[in-house]
Amino acid sequence: MKEVKLFSGTNSKYIAEPIADFYGYPLGKLTVNKFSDGEMQTIIEESVRGASVFFIQSTFAPADNLLELLLLIDSAKRASAGYITAVIPYFGYARQDRKDKPRVPISAKMIANILETAGVNRVITMDLHADQIQGFFDIPVDHLRSEAIFIPYLKNQGLDNVIFASPDVGGVKRARTFAKYFEKDLVICDKERRRANEVASMTVIGDVKGSDVILVDDMADTAGTLCKAADVLMAKGAKSVKALCTHAVLSGKAYENIEKSQLQQLIVCDTLPLKKKTAKIKVLSCAQLFAKAIRNTHEYRSIAALFVD
C-alpha cells in the first residue's frame, strides 16, 4: 500500500490540522512563496514519489486558494506522486452549475476541468450545491454528506415539536432527508429573487403554527434567504426557528443580518473559517468525517459506510 502524505493549503490549516490529528498522521511540509507582484510558487519540502497524496484546501474566496491548490497538485504530479486526491471541504463556484441566462459560464464545470488538467486523480468534497456536479468530473468524486454530522447532533437536542423546512424549492430534497429520518413534517418557503443575494418575496407552503422549525440549507452567503425565511415563519406562528447550513460563507452583511433576524441559532460545519464569532452561530467539526474518508479511500474501503442510513 502506498505511503500516505497529507498537506494543507495556506488558508485551510484550521481544518487540515484536526483532520491530520484524527487520521493520526502529521501534515507534510510545504512552502508557498510569493513574488512581489503576488505570483505564487509552491514547494513540497519532502519526497512524495509513489505516495498517496492528499491536499486539503477549501476553494473559498479569494481565488488564490484555488490557484494554490492547482499549483500544489502540479508540484506533486511533477514529483512523481503515485495518486493525488484533492480534499475540498467547500467547493467554490458550485452555484454556477448551469447556464440559466445567455452568455454566462458554467463555472462548476470549468473548475472540474481545471482540476483534472492539473493532474488530480480523485476529489473528496462535501455537500455540493447540486449533486449533478459530480458528473462534471471524469474522475472519482467522493461526495460526503453533512447529515452524518448534523443528525447525531440533533438526536441529542430533543425534537418533539419540530418541523423541518426548506428555505427554497431547490433545497426540498435536502430538507426532506432530515424530515424523513426523524419522521417529522416538512414545509417549503417559496422565494422570488429579482437579483443575486436579494430575496424579493417569500411564501410558506405548510402549517408551522406552534412548532419549532429547523431550516436546512447547503450554504449561507449573505444569509438573506435564511433570515427572511425565519422572519416569515415566525410571522406564520412558529414557536422558534433554527437553521442547519453546511457552508458558512457569510459575506457582506451576513453577520448583521443574522443578529437582526428572528433566527434563534445557525448551526454550521467548519468547511469554511468563520470571520468572527457570535452567540447565534454554532460550529460543528467535520474533521473526523474527512479523516475517515481519507482513510477509507487509502485503504480501498467503502465511503458509503460514512453516510447516515
Side-chain angles (χ1 to χ4, degrees):
M1 190 175 291
K2 296 183 179 70
E3 182 184 7
V4 173
K5 297 277 188 174
L6 305 178
F7 295 94
S8 172
T10 301
N11 293 316
S12 291
K13 289 182 180 178
Y14 77 96
I15 188 171
E17 288 173 351
I19 288 174
D21 288 341
F22 279 115
Y23 190 84
Y25 198 91
L27 290 173
K29 296 178 181 179
L30 59 82
T31 301
V32 178
N33 295 324
K34 281 196 175 183
F35 297 100
S36 60
D37 65 349
E39 181 179 329
M40 283 186 288
Q41 179 191 52
T42 57
I43 306 171
I44 299 174
E45 302 283 6
E46 55 190 75
S47 175
V48 294
R49 184 175 295 273
S52 184
V53 177
F54 294 84
F55 290 115
I56 303 165
Q57 178 82 307
S58 277
T59 56
F60 54 94
D64 279 1
N65 293 308
L66 173 61
L67 181 58
E68 182 181 283
L69 174 61
L70 296 171
L71 293 173
L72 287 169
I73 291 167
D74 189 68
S75 299
K77 180 180 70 174
R78 296 180 188 280
S80 301
Y83 197 83
I84 302 171
T85 301
V87 181
I88 309 175
Y90 171 70
F91 187 92
Y93 290 90
R95 282 175 284 186
Q96 301 179 59
D97 61 346
R98 64 196 182 281
K99 191 173 181 182
D100 57 354
K101 58 178 71 73
R103 298 173 296 281
V104 297
I106 304 179
S107 304
K109 171 59 177 172
M110 183 190 70
I111 298 301
N113 289 345
I114 293 171
L115 284 165
E116 289 185 42
T117 300
V120 76
N121 300 113
R122 177 183 292 269
V123 170
I124 300 176
T125 189
M126 175 180 279
D127 281 7
L128 291 166
H129 190 62
D131 289 350
Q132 61 265 27
I133 292 174
Q134 297 172 79
F136 291 173
F137 290 88
D138 291 320
I139 57 175
V141 176
D142 294 317
H143 187 205
L144 304 182
R145 302 286 187 178
S146 60
E147 289 96 315
I149 296 165
F150 289 137
I151 286 178
Y153 172 78
L154 291 177
K155 281 182 176 179
N156 297 321
Q157 302 305 303
L159 302 180
D160 294 336
N161 194 38
V162 161
I163 287 179
F164 288 94
S166 173
D168 54 37
V169 175
V172 170
K173 180 181 176 183
R174 189 178 300 111
R176 183 177 286 125
T177 299
F178 286 86
K180 185 176 180 181
Y181 184 91
F182 288 103
E183 298 180 342
K184 301 293 182 180
D185 291 335
L186 172 69
V187 299
I188 303 167
C189 300
D190 184 23
K191 70 181 179 183
E192 179 187 351
R193 285 193 191 274
R194 288 180 184 165
R195 58 180 65 90
N197 294 129
E198 184 177 317
V199 179
S201 63
M202 184 173 286
T203 304
V204 176
I205 303 172
D207 184 16
V208 297
K209 192 171 183 179
S211 299
D212 296 309
V213 181
I214 299 179
L215 288 158
V216 182
D217 208 352
D218 66 318
M219 71 169 65
D221 190 349
T222 63
T225 298
L226 288 176
C227 293
K228 179 73 173 179
D231 294 343
V232 171
L233 289 166
M234 290 297 290
K236 290 291 184 180
K239 186 179 176 182
S240 68
V241 181
K242 296 182 179 180
L244 304 175
C245 185
T246 309
H247 308 299
V249 179
L250 301 182
S251 64
K253 295 184 178 180
Y255 288 92
E256 181 182 340
N257 292 339
I258 292 169
E259 290 296 333
K260 289 181 177 179
S261 76
Q262 297 190 67
L263 192 64
Q264 188 181 92
Q265 187 179 45
L266 174 61
I267 305 162
V268 302
C269 293
D270 57 352
T271 57
L272 290 162
L274 289 185
K275 298 177 182 70
K276 64 180 181 180
K277 292 183 179 180
T278 169
K280 274 196 172 185
I281 301 177
K282 180 175 181 60
V283 181
L284 303 180
S285 176
C286 58
Q288 187 171 14
L289 181 62
F290 274 99
K292 289 178 179 177
I294 291 171
R295 187 174 300 281
N296 284 16
T297 297
H298 179 61
E299 297 177 358
Y300 302 103
R301 291 191 286 164
S302 173
I303 296 294
L306 305 179
F307 298 156
V308 176
D309 293 330

